[in-house]
Every structure is written in structure tokens, then in C-alpha cells.
Amino acid sequence: MAAEIHSRPQTARPVLLNKIEGHSDAVNAAVLIPKEDGVITVSEDRTIRVWLKRDSGQYWPSIYHTVSSPCSCVSYHHDSRRIFIGQDNGAVVEFLISEDFNKMSHVKTYPAHQNRVSDLVFSLESEWVVSTGHDKSVSWMCTQSGSMLGRHVFTAWASCLQYDHETQHAFVGDYSGQITLLKLEKQTYSTITTLKGHEGSIATLWWDPVQRLLFSGAADHSVIMWDIGGRKGRTLLLQGHHERVQAVRYLQLTRQLVSCSADGGMAVWNMDTQREEAPPWLDSDSCQKCEQPFFWNIKQMWDTKTMGLRQHHCRKCGKAVCGKCSSKRTAFPVMGFEFPVRVCDACFDTVKEEDRTPLATFHEGKHNIAHMDMDPSRGLMVTCGSDRIVKIWDVTQVVGCSLATGFSSR
């Protein structure tokens, strides 16, 4: 079922400890069991499996449960051992896992959505299960009565979710690239604001309730940090991935952000440093450096008898420039650009060599990553994806060793 790879060498990269195989279809989520050598997986093959590490070093399924529809997402509450599974048919199913992790009993089925459940969160404080779905809605249901408390419908598929248990605020990312902040109440809700910044569908969210920071990863290959607590609209753009960002986790104690992308890329961002906001892109009908017209500026092209040029933007100053005035590339990590990006010639001359010092490290997971979970108290990370493989990693040398309280369990 699973192979033990090797012991933990002291190297500054994620070390593959175990690889779990055996699923017959994509693994949509994998969750590390706190204080146990165990992993919970849910899959398109309609199975929920609890894997425990045996004396041999291999992981074997102590629970293998099949449901009626493919499993799309999971929310596990360890103290109560309650587990909630989102399904492709729109239902959310609640189970109770035994203390020895060898038995799982069905508790309740919630008719949460009319289409695939994309994400869900269980709140013990309010006894709610909040979920998003491809029916373009977010719903919240009472886990005591099983009844629907409320629903909000968006204009696009709702793709991911984070929930503040104390204030009952929900952050919902959707396929249009927007993030909506809702205040949930019994039988009602209010829309607080909509966050716009991504140029692709939102794939993942992570909320840090201590520093009140929201992190989002999207199909535009970027991560954005939204400073919700600051209330000044401050955002930080982080670009270093080459594919859709599928998972993000913020480690509050060490002030590091871990992100994973669909091509297997893993990034660890240093957020304990001064960073600058990327400027907004300016609009112009002509190059703001040489004043040559862009190709839609028919009047200036006619007046000057010149061909229109293609518009580009300098990533450092945001000005609209032509290709000739922005022929150079440079990394600028303080603004989130870890690989070389287009800058105008004037800005290129202002970037010093020390300004190019990386503020993130990049690693290779060597498999498609659709979901990631972490247990910083043990320095462990688990990844899974469409290749049907679950990988367990030692990340202590990458994110630091004193992580015991740096993570808020989902």
C-alpha cells in the first residue's frame, strides 16, 4: 500500500518520508491526523480511507469506506473526531471516527448543494458546517438539527472557502477571480466586501485569524496576501509559480507562507520582511516613456504617420510602455517577483544587485499537487493529486524547527 522512502537527512529542502499508493482515481484531499502517525484521504474513487503507520514504517488503511458519490473535499475536527465529506452529488456527509481509528460511523447527511461540493469547514463553536459548491452557492447548515440555515448565490462557481470561527465571517473564492467576504447569521447574512486582484479563478484560500491576513492562490499562478486587519486595502503580490496555485498555508509563528502548484512546485515565502505593494497598471493611449502611439490610437498614428505599438507594463512603476522602452527583465523579490519580469529601462537602472536577493525558496514535489495539509508541530506536510499518490514530507529544514504553535488547524 505504501513505501517508506528513507530517514531524514539534514538538508534545506522537503524530504520525502513516505509515499502512499492504492487509490484507483484522483485523491482530492489528504489530511494529517494530529498527534497520530495517520492520514485521512478522500478520492474520486468514492472512498474515504484512514491510513495508519505500522511498525514496518508503511501506511495501511485501518478504515476503508465507500460512499455513493465521488468525494471532493474534507473537514476533520480532531478533538471530537468528527469528519465531514463533500461529495460530487452536492451532499455533505458526517461521520464519527472511533478512538482507535479503526471504525467510522455515519452520523448525518446534509443536502447542502445541487452540484459538486468544492470546499467545506466545520465549526464546533457554532455547530455549523459551511460549504461551497459548483451550484454557485455557499450554504451553512446546523449540525444539530441538520437543517439549512442560509444560502448565498454567486455569479460563478464557488471554488474555495475559509471561515473565521470567532466572528462568523466567511471568505469565498470563485471562478471569476473574486473573493467575497460574508457575515453569516442564523437565517440571514450580509455581504461585507468583494476583493478583486487575481486574473484567474481562485483555487485556494487560507485565513490567519491572529494577524487577520488572508492568502489566496489562483489560476493566474500568483498568490496575494490581503491585509484584512489593517483596513487600508494593503495587498502583496507573490509571483514565483509556473502553474495554478492549488494550496497555501501560513505559519504564523515563523511568518512563512507555504504554497503548492499544480505542476508540483512548492514555495516557501519569507513574510517576516519588509515588502512593497506592486503598483496598479496605468492606462494610456501611448507609451508613457517615448510617447509613441499604441495600436488602437488611430488618431495619433494618422497624425504622426507611424505604426501603432503593442502595450506592455513595467512591473516596478506600473507605467504603460512599448516593447522598446521595456526591453529588460529583472527579478524584484521585495515586490513579490521572484523570477525576471518586464520593467522599463529607467526602473531597471534603479534595481541594485542586493534588490534581487530571493525572499522565497522553491522546491519540486515531483507530482501534481491538488491539495496540501501541514502539521507544523511535527514538521510534516502531506500532498496529493490526480496522479493518485499521497506523499508525506519532512519540512522542518525548510520552514524552521520551532513550529509547535505556528499553525491553526483547518
Side-chain angles (χ1 to χ4, degrees):
M1 289 291 184
E4 183 175 24
I5 307 303
H6 46 67
S7 58
R8 307 183 180 193
Q10 299 298 309
T11 55
R13 61 182 177 84
V15 177
L16 182 60
L17 299 177
N18 294 88
K19 187 164 65 173
I20 300 175
E21 300 175 297
H23 287 280
S24 60
D25 209 332
V27 183
N28 289 320
V31 179
L32 291 164
I33 302 175
K35 304 174 185 177
E36 298 282 345
D37 282 326
V39 179
I40 300 171
T41 60
V42 298
S43 170
E44 285 290 324
D45 64 12
R46 300 187 295 115
T47 65
I48 306 161
R49 310 187 197 195
V50 178
W51 306 79
L52 296 181
K53 189 175 183 180
R54 306 304 184 186
D55 293 338
S56 64
Q58 297 181 343
Y59 283 80
W60 290 86
S62 61
I63 295 176
Y64 184 108
H65 187 87
T66 303
V67 292
S68 59
S69 180
C71 304
S72 53
C73 52
V74 61
S75 179
Y76 174 63
H77 188 269
H78 181 65
D79 291 340
S80 64
R81 298 188 313 281
R82 296 164 73 178
I83 183 170
F84 296 79
I85 309 296
Q87 294 185 275
D88 188 64
N89 61 9
V92 172
V93 186
E94 178 185 355
F95 295 93
L96 181 65
I97 299 178
S98 62
E99 288 188 27
D100 60 4
F101 294 97
N102 285 316
K103 183 181 179 182
M104 190 167 67
S105 305
H106 176 264
V107 177
K108 209 180 265 97
T109 298
Y110 305 87
H113 297 275
Q114 298 176 352
N115 208 325
R116 185 180 180 91
V117 182
S118 55
D119 205 354
L120 77 164
V121 174
F122 167 61
S123 173
L124 183 66
E125 292 84 347
S126 55
E127 282 290 346
W128 289 359
V129 58
V130 187
S131 59
T132 54
H134 287 182
D135 58 359
K136 303 180 181 180
S137 75
V138 57
S139 69
W140 52 107
M141 304 189 70
C142 177
T143 55
Q144 295 175 326
S145 65
S147 60
M148 177 77 70
L149 297 176
R151 179 191 298 272
H152 174 71
V153 179
F154 303 92
T155 58
W157 279 2
S159 53
C160 51
L161 167 72
Q162 282 287 278
Y163 181 71
D164 188 284
H165 299 271
E166 182 180 348
T167 64
Q168 296 182 332
H169 283 90
F171 300 89
V172 181
D174 65 37
Y175 270 68
S176 73
Q178 296 185 7
I179 303 168
T180 304
L181 172 57
L182 301 169
K183 167 65 174 174
L184 306 185
E185 307 277 1
K186 289 184 178 179
Q187 310 300 332
T188 187
Y189 67 90
S190 55
T191 302
I192 306 301
T193 189
T194 301
L195 307 176
K196 300 178 181 179
H198 284 289
E199 297 179 359
S201 60
I202 311 297
T204 182
L205 295 172
W206 184 261
W207 169 244
D208 175 56
V210 178
Q211 296 186 30
R212 303 194 68 76
L213 301 174
L214 180 71
F215 298 88
S216 57
D220 59 6
H221 309 173
S222 69
V223 177
I224 294 180
M225 186 204 82
W226 312 82
D227 186 359
I228 304 298
R231 299 188 178 185
K232 295 182 179 179
R234 180 171 178 260
T235 61
L236 294 178
L237 177 67
L238 305 174
Q239 289 193 338
H241 288 285
H242 300 286
E243 262 295 344
R244 176 186 178 94
V245 180
Q246 301 276 54
V248 290
R249 294 291 184 274
Y250 179 63
L251 306 177
Q252 193 273 331
L253 185 66
T254 58
R255 297 177 185 263
Q256 291 171 298
L257 178 72
V258 181
S259 58
C260 297
S261 56
D263 60 357
M266 302 175 182
V268 180
W269 308 83
N270 177 13
M271 305 305 294
D272 191 22
T273 185
Q274 290 284 53
R275 290 182 177 270
E276 298 178 16
E277 288 188 71
W281 286 4
L282 302 178
D283 292 324
S284 179
D285 292 327
S286 58
C287 176
Q288 293 180 301
K289 293 295 182 179
C290 68
E291 299 183 350
Q292 289 295 305
F294 293 132
F295 64 83
W296 60 83
N297 190 347
I298 306 297
K299 184 179 185 303
Q300 187 178 348
M301 286 192 293
W302 177 264
D303 292 343
T304 59
K305 301 298 188 292
T306 56
M307 292 291 292
L309 304 176
R310 182 181 175 185
Q311 178 183 259
H312 301 281
H313 284 91
C314 172
R315 301 307 192 268
K316 189 172 185 293
C317 68
K319 289 183 178 179
V321 290
C322 66
K324 185 177 180 181
C325 293
S326 59
S327 60
K328 297 178 180 178
R329 307 287 186 273
T330 184
F332 198 52
V334 72
M335 206 171 275
F337 302 113
E338 289 289 334
F339 54 81
V341 292
R342 181 186 296 271
V343 293
C344 66
D345 294 349
C347 284
F348 181 85
D349 294 337
T350 66
V351 178
K352 301 176 183 178
E353 192 59 38
E354 55 264 31
D355 295 332
R356 299 183 176 92
T357 303
L359 296 177
T361 59
F362 295 90
H363 313 277
E364 181 55 58
K366 296 183 179 179
H367 78 141
N368 164 268
I369 298 177
H371 186 270
M372 174 265 288
D373 186 34
M374 294 186 70
D375 183 352
S377 65
R378 294 180 289 169
L380 295 177
M381 178 173 71
V382 61
T383 58
C384 63
S386 60
D387 59 0
R388 311 175 187 179
I389 296 174
V390 178
K391 293 184 177 182
I392 301 172
W393 306 83
D394 169 24
V395 294
T396 54
Q397 299 303 312
V398 179
V399 299
C401 298
S402 52
L403 300 172
T405 60
F407 180 74
S408 177
S409 180
R410 185 170 183 167

